Amino acid sequence: MAVAWHTSLSFNPPLYGIAVASKRFTYQFIIDSKEFAVNFLPFKASELIASIGGTGGQEIDKFQRFNIAKSKPVKTAVPILEAAYAAYECKLIASKDYGDHRWLVEEIVAVHLREKTFTTEGFVDLDKVNPALYLGNEYYLTATKNTIRRLDREAHGKC
Amino acid sequence: MAVAWHTSLSFNPPLYGIAVASKRFTYQFIIDSKEFAVNFLPFKASELIASIGGTGGQEIDKFQRFNIAKSKPVKTAVPILEAAYAAYECKLIASKDYGDHRWLVEEIVAVHLREKTFTTEGFVDLDKVNPALYLGNEYYLTATKNTIRRLDREAHGKC
């Protein structure tokens, strides 16, 4: 399942949230197993994201149809994608209906980082990988060293 | 207050969520008034975002210090920024602690769109405005017509 609405929620403990419509096929899997993975894919995998978002798991096996390779999880049984530059193994800790979506809150119990795609400070190294960012309305964007600006908040707060 | 962790939560009713540390000065304003604005700023205002993020409201009046012009709200008393290409007036409907942040869920009761910066379908017109996107770690990015790709999920689901 491709998810457009998601965010970090807490540093300590590390929590993440995703909004899912309960009619989605994947929703019941999450509720039943109480675990899932959040896979972060590179811009070059945008077509795969669109393909996953455009199909339903009740009709096809997406792993087979789109030839999706998996890595082994370490603390859960969730699918970690070979194509992901980063992935979280998550355990569901809370959920609540807000309007037409259900808000699923999960604790990150393991983190997978593609070797050499992160700096020593733990940030994505844009010389090594360009993340896929979803803008909505079927538009995808990426970040490159040439298209980003670093603005230190402490310095700018003093301006 | 500049917020890094936020997402849409529901189409109908229109709900939005933001994660705020309860130690933030703005937090108590939101809890007391039960309303606030979400202002979406253009990339050219990135310095303003960094300045707002780098200062505390208990020390200075940010509106005065950074010369921030306001427009009139229509259904609340929240500050709509002149620099914003879009803004939501929100009423707090729920909140819950998740780890070290509080998750604030709000209903969007009024929407302000800068004239001519949206297409007739209701999407940001990238010929008219380039949104500021925050990547984390003080990095800001924008979207332009030249840096985005449109990938129709229905078409890609059939590939």
Side-chain angles (χ1 to χ4, degrees):
Chain A
M1 175 176 57
V3 169
W5 294 346
H6 56 99
T7 181
S8 292
L9 290 173
S10 168
F11 289 113
N12 185 20
L15 303 179
Y16 207 84
I18 65 171
V20 181
S22 57
K23 66 184 176 186
R24 297 288 167 217
F25 186 66
T26 309
Y27 172 77
Q28 201 56 47
F29 278 133
I30 296 173
I31 296 301
D32 291 345
S33 69
K34 298 200 178 348
E35 57 183 42
F36 62 94
V38 180
N39 285 276
F40 296 91
L41 296 176
F43 190 56
K44 65 183 180 185
S46 301
E47 287 90 348
L48 177 61
I49 301 171
S51 297
I52 291 170
T55 46
Q58 67 275 44
E59 292 152 16
I60 58 158
D61 178 332
K62 299 189 196 185
F63 288 97
Q64 193 172 36
R65 166 79 166 272
F66 302 118
N67 198 24
I68 299 171
K70 285 184 274 191
S71 309
K72 275 195 182 165
V74 294
K75 289 201 176 173
T76 63
V78 302
I80 305 302
L81 307 193
E82 282 280 350
Y85 63 89
Y88 297 153
E89 291 182 43
C90 298
K91 294 212 176 188
L92 187 67
I93 61 164
S95 68
K96 190 157 174 46
D97 280 320
Y98 291 125
D100 52 25
H101 281 62
R102 194 158 181 91
W103 183 240
L104 305 178
V105 176
E106 44 275 355
E107 180 162 3
I108 300 166
V109 295
V111 175
H112 299 250
L113 301 181
R114 177 77 47 208
E115 230 180 310
K116 295 178 184 168
T117 57
F118 283 78
T119 65
T120 49
E121 293 86 28
F123 301 109
V124 174
D125 185 341
L126 296 175
D127 281 333
K128 308 285 173 52
V129 66
N130 300 116
L133 306 171
Y134 184 63
L135 275 184
N137 191 30
E138 318 297 335
Y139 282 105
Y140 296 80
L141 174 73
T142 192
T144 69
K145 280 239 164 148
N146 298 326
T147 60
I148 61 169
R149 301 176 67 191
R150 189 167 198 279
L151 297 171
D152 185 271
R153 73 182 75 183
E154 299 295 335
H156 276 274
K158 289 174 190 147
C159 292
Chain B
M1 177 176 55
V3 169
W5 294 347
H6 56 100
T7 181
S8 292
L9 290 172
S10 167
F11 288 113
N12 185 20
L15 303 180
Y16 207 83
I18 65 171
V20 180
S22 57
K23 65 184 176 187
R24 297 287 168 220
F25 186 66
T26 310
Y27 172 79
Q28 201 55 48
F29 277 134
I30 296 173
I31 296 302
D32 291 344
S33 69
K34 295 198 177 356
E35 58 184 40
F36 62 93
V38 180
N39 286 276
F40 297 92
L41 295 176
F43 190 58
K44 65 183 179 187
S46 301
E47 286 90 349
L48 177 61
I49 301 171
S51 297
I52 291 170
T55 45
Q58 68 275 43
E59 292 151 17
I60 58 159
D61 179 333
K62 299 189 196 185
F63 287 98
Q64 192 173 35
R65 165 80 167 271
F66 302 119
N67 198 22
I68 299 171
K70 285 185 274 190
S71 309
K72 277 197 180 162
V74 295
K75 290 201 175 172
T76 63
V78 301
I80 305 302
L81 306 193
E82 281 281 349
Y85 62 89
Y88 298 153
E89 291 181 44
C90 297
K91 294 213 174 190
L92 187 68
I93 61 164
S95 68
K96 191 157 174 45
D97 279 320
Y98 291 125
D100 52 25
H101 281 61
R102 195 159 180 91
W103 184 239
L104 305 178
V105 176
E106 44 275 356
E107 181 162 2
I108 300 166
V109 295
V111 175
H112 298 251
L113 301 181
R114 176 79 45 209
E115 229 179 312
K116 295 178 182 168
T117 57
F118 283 78
T119 65
T120 48
E121 293 86 26
F123 300 109
V124 173
D125 186 340
L126 296 175
D127 281 335
K128 309 285 172 53
V129 66
N130 299 116
L133 306 171
Y134 184 63
L135 274 185
N137 191 30
E138 320 296 338
Y139 282 105
Y140 296 80
L141 174 75
T142 191
T144 69
K145 280 238 164 148
N146 297 327
T147 59
I148 61 169
R149 301 176 66 191
R150 189 168 198 279
L151 298 171
D152 186 271
R153 74 182 76 184
E154 299 294 335
H156 277 274
K158 288 175 189 146
C159 292

